[in-house]
Amino acid sequence: MKTQILTAFALMAMLTFVACGNAGEKEKTVQTDSTDHSGQDHAKAAPAAGTATVAQVKDDLLNAVYQQYSSLSKALVESDLARAKIAANAIEAGAKEMKNADALGKSAAKIAGAKDIESQRAAFSDLSNQLIGLVKKAGMGSGELYVDYCPMALNDKGAYWISGIKEIRNPYFGDKMLNCGELKETIQ
């Protein structure tokens, strides 16, 4: 019973954050972010134009964590340290409710505790790799997600991330190199 209450509380907190974080947008969805990382609403545009289709991971808890991950990615693209911390805290809370997600929670905690945006971006790589594995294992209930890669991230070591849009919006460099990267894989 205690676990169910904690799970419900964590989900409510995550969903509240998603709703509050999108307060100024014309169209809202709990399943995916319908804006690209430039802040423009493209909910009615064709998917090929770089918009998110309705994508939902089969596992409900993982889907809620992915929504926060999407907010985190957007915050990193926009170099917003405070919003990134909030999203990372929500990911950490969600990971605590999931099985086999301890590493995901620890990576999220590193991002939440980071003192600067560059440290957050460095920790984002581990978080992304873990989330990619979990999403692939769970599978998609609907829509598709994209695994993107930037070869220049982390001092040219390269790093991956998940996106709900085909258009590259690089969380590792933000506006310095917003479109640096390539789509490597589609998760369907």
Side-chain angles (χ1 to χ4, degrees):
M1 181 70 171
K2 184 178 175 183
T3 302
Q4 292 173 336
I5 291 170
L6 289 173
T7 301
F9 179 76
L11 284 174
M12 287 176 26
M14 283 187 246
L15 293 175
T16 300
F17 174 76
V18 169
C20 292
N22 296 330
E25 295 177 9
K26 293 178 187 171
E27 294 187 10
K28 298 176 190 170
T29 177
V30 175
Q31 294 178 343
T32 62
D33 182 4
S34 67
T35 60
D36 68 14
H37 295 287
S38 68
Q40 296 175 343
D41 192 347
H42 293 284
K44 294 181 170 122
T51 62
T53 58
V54 177
Q56 186 169 4
V57 181
K58 282 184 182 176
D59 179 283
D60 290 337
L61 282 174
L62 184 56
N63 189 59
V65 166
Y66 168 72
Q67 299 310 315
Q68 293 305 315
Y69 173 89
S70 181
S71 295
L72 172 60
S73 180
K74 184 174 182 180
L76 293 175
V77 165
E78 296 171 357
S79 300
D80 189 330
L81 179 76
R83 275 191 18 228
K85 285 184 181 207
I86 292 168
N89 280 324
I91 292 168
E92 182 181 12
K96 288 179 182 178
E97 298 302 318
M98 296 169 51
K99 292 180 182 178
N100 303 317
D102 292 338
L104 184 73
K106 288 177 183 176
S107 292
K110 285 181 185 177
I111 295 169
K115 303 277 188 226
D116 58 64
I117 198 77
E118 295 310 319
S119 298
Q120 287 180 326
R121 287 176 170 149
F124 184 69
S125 176
D126 286 338
L127 180 79
S128 294
N129 291 337
Q130 293 153 7
L131 189 64
I132 290 167
L134 291 170
V135 168
K136 285 180 178 181
K137 184 176 179 181
M140 298 299 296
S142 65
E144 55 191 30
L145 294 174
Y146 308 99
V147 178
D148 296 328
Y149 178 75
C150 174
M152 297 177 69
L154 307 178
N155 295 319
D156 295 329
K157 292 179 186 172
Y160 293 89
W161 74 96
I162 298 176
S163 178
I165 61 173
K166 286 185 179 180
E167 186 176 359
I168 299 294
R169 293 287 189 232
N170 190 324
Y172 296 104
F173 289 104
D175 63 0
K176 291 178 188 173
M177 294 175 44
L178 185 61
N179 303 111
C180 178
E182 61 184 305
L183 191 152
K184 285 289 196 176
E185 183 178 352
T186 301
I187 304 172
Q188 297 179 328

